[in-house]
Amino acid sequence: MGNICSRSSNEPEAFAGPGRVVGAPPAGSSNAPRASVPAKANWKNSPGRTLGESSPQQGGSDEARSNAAIAAQKRAEAASASSKGKLGTKLAAQKAKTQTQTLNEVSQTERAVRDADGAEEARQWN
């Protein structure tokens, strides 16, 4: 028990050591070389640009980007229209149903289940 609570294995308290002067570097820090700040800031002399405006380096990439988006949209529409498959066809039919049609279908299913349960009880009656 004495080994667990001994002072030698615990870390020293924060204010147990000697103090240091305000503004002095922390103890153990090295004077490693640091990156220098650029002497001339180019952003001060530039007029800036409006949000969304393309810069001269981009070379009209906004137009290319919009053309690519339009082409991708056309490809997606063509792919979905031509190859819906079995599930896509079922989904389209389900989306086309009105709320009344859906409720009627569910109601018919529930009636069929109740009728099947009633028939099963009648068969088991002794």
Side-chain angles (χ1 to χ4, degrees):
M1 186 92 170
N3 290 339
I4 295 173
C5 299
S6 69
R7 290 298 239 171
S8 62
S9 64
N10 296 338
E11 294 182 15
E13 293 191 24
F15 298 108
R20 60 185 174 98
V21 180
V22 174
S29 68
S30 64
N31 292 335
R34 296 171 51 183
S36 61
V37 177
K40 181 181 177 187
N42 293 335
W43 60 270
K44 290 181 181 178
N45 299 330
S46 69
R49 62 186 181 112
T50 309
L51 184 64
E53 179 183 326
S54 64
S55 65
Q57 292 88 10
Q58 290 176 339
S61 67
D62 289 340
E63 184 179 334
R65 188 175 293 161
S66 64
N67 289 342
I70 292 169
Q73 183 70 26
K74 287 181 181 177
R75 282 193 306 271
E77 289 172 359
S80 66
S82 64
S83 62
K84 284 185 179 179
K86 185 177 179 182
L87 290 177
T89 306
K90 284 185 178 181
L91 180 62
Q94 192 175 23
K95 284 183 178 180
K97 287 183 185 177
T98 63
Q99 183 179 9
T100 307
Q101 291 171 336
T102 304
L103 291 174
N104 286 337
E105 185 178 309
V106 171
S107 176
Q108 289 174 356
T109 305
E110 289 296 322
R111 282 189 206 130
V113 168
R114 279 196 307 257
D115 291 344
D117 288 344
E120 182 66 28
E121 285 180 18
R123 271 181 282 187
Q124 292 180 0
W125 184 262
N126 290 336

